[in-house]
């Protein structure tokens, strides 16, 4: 199985900050990676698929990059509604696997 | 508008069974692969199972943690996804989400249900 490791597990930031979250796969997954945002008590929402493609309706302050084993999600200017937990997910092979999550908290 | 609505959750004793349903609307259900993803209380997301769309022979896939105990299926006439869960364990306690495969790219989830809680406890 492909293991997905996110870092950091949590980050404290202020509105307007640039935030970067990393995700590392235990083996190469090309660009088969997604990022999701989840708020408490809600289902996850897709942000980025295929490593760098912005899902429909997602604000352009979100961006993704990387390929192979190392990936990043960047929020260019953090907004109040962005405080949430973010997960990466590999989509190259079954079983599909998620990273452990990164909680973005208010500083 | 795409909608996914789970039902069938609740409290069950260890060793018991439960069948989850996910009623889909707003898209051509039959052609999309569908998955179940769960989240234990206070924990991260865990993919559970997937079933392919029509034209792919209803292929099924399972996480090792549920293989042999859970069965995924679909009824394309009723636009409904199912998860039959047998021999339930305490560690199966979680919110279960059904999720639709992405419009153009497989194995990503562009729509999710609201989730349904399954509690396994005596």
């Amino acid at each position: 199985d492909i293991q997905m490791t996110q870092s950091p597990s949590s980050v404290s930031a202020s509105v307007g900050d640039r935030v970067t979250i990393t995700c590392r796969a235990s083996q190469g997954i090309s660009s088969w990676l997604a990022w999701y945002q989840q708020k408490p008590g809600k289902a996850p929402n897709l942000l980025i698929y295929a490593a760098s493609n912005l899902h429909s309706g997602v604000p352009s302050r979100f961006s993704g990059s990387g390929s192979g084993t190392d990936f990043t999600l960047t929020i260019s200017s953090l907004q109040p509604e962005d405080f949430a937990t973010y997960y990466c997910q590999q989509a190259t092979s079954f079983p599909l696997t998620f990273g452990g999550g990164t909680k973005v908290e208010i500083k | 508008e795409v909608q996914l609505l789970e039902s069938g959750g609740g409290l069950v004793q260890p060793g018991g069974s439960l069948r989850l349903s996910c009623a889909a609307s707003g898209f051509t259900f039959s052609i999309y692969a569908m998955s179940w993803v769960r989240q234990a209380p206070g924990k991260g997301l865990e993919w559970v199972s997937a079933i392919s769309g029509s034209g792919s022979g209803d292929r099924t896939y399972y996480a090792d943690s549920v293989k042999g105990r859970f069965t995924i299926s679909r009824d394309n006439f009723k636009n409904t996804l199912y998860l039959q869960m047998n021999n339930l364990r305490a560690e199966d306690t979680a919110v279960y989400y059904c999720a639709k495969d992405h419009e153009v790219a497989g194995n990503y989830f562009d729509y999710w249900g609201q989730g349904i809680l399954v509690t396994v406890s005596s």
Side-chain angles (χ1 to χ4, degrees), chain B residues 5 10 17 26-27 29 37-38 56-57 60 65 78 85 87 96 100 106-107 116-117:
Chain B
L5 185 62
S17 297
F27 65 103
F29 175 74
V37 178
R38 68 184 181 183
S56 301
T60 58
S65 58
K78 294 183 177 179
M85 304 185 293
N87 192 19
Y96 285 72
K100 169 189 167 291
N107 293 347
I116 191 83
L117 178 62

Side-chain angles (χ1 to χ4, degrees), chain A residues 1 31-34 36 38 41-46 49-51 55 87 89-100, chain B residues 35 37 39 43-50 61-64 97 101-102 104-115:
Chain A
D1 298 0
S31 296
W32 289 93
L33 186 100
Y36 299 88
Q38 187 181 33
K42 300 294 186 181
N45 287 313
L46 179 65
Y49 66 96
H55 181 54
Y87 295 93
Q89 176 233 325
Q90 66 83 11
T92 191
S93 63
F94 291 104
L96 306 179
T97 45
F98 290 87
Chain B
S35 280
V37 178
Q39 187 169 36
K43 303 297 184 182
L45 301 170
E46 180 189 16
W47 173 83
V48 172
S49 182
Y61 307 88
Y62 298 95
D64 286 346
Y97 298 99
D101 247 32
H102 190 272
V104 296
N107 293 347
Y108 304 113
F109 309 123
D110 58 358
Y111 288 94
W112 298 63
Q114 86 287 349

Side-chain angles (χ1 to χ4, degrees), chain A:
Chain A
D1 298 0
I2 299 173
Q3 308 304 317
M4 306 301 293
T5 304
Q6 283 183 238
S7 61
S9 57
S10 66
V11 57
S12 294
S14 301
V15 173
D17 284 354
R18 182 182 183 89
V19 173
T20 298
I21 299 168
T22 65
C23 180
R24 175 164 289 176
S26 60
Q27 63 190 74
I29 60 170
S30 185
S31 296
W32 289 93
L33 186 100
W35 291 97
Y36 299 88
Q37 177 194 69
Q38 187 181 33
K39 296 181 179 180
K42 300 294 186 181
N45 287 313
L46 179 65
L47 298 174
I48 302 282
Y49 66 96
S52 60
N53 290 273
L54 199 66
H55 181 54
S56 175
V58 174
S60 58
R61 63 180 179 273
F62 292 94
S63 64
S65 64
S67 67
T69 60
D70 294 310
F71 302 85
T72 60
L73 172 70
T74 300
I75 310 172
S76 60
S77 177
L78 199 65
Q79 298 302 299
E81 60 268 31
D82 301 336
F83 292 97
T85 300
Y86 294 84
Y87 295 93
C88 62
Q89 176 233 325
Q90 66 83 11
T92 191
S93 63
F94 291 104
L96 306 179
T97 45
F98 290 87
T102 297
K103 188 173 184 179
V104 177
E105 300 175 298
I106 301 172
K107 194 171 189 178

Side-chain angles (χ1 to χ4, degrees), chain B residues 22 24 27-34 74-76 79-81:
Chain B
C22 172
F27 65 103
T28 307
F29 175 74
S30 62
I31 67 174
Y32 289 96
M34 299 290 295
R74 64 191 300 158
D75 184 331
N76 291 331
N79 288 349
T80 302
L81 176 72

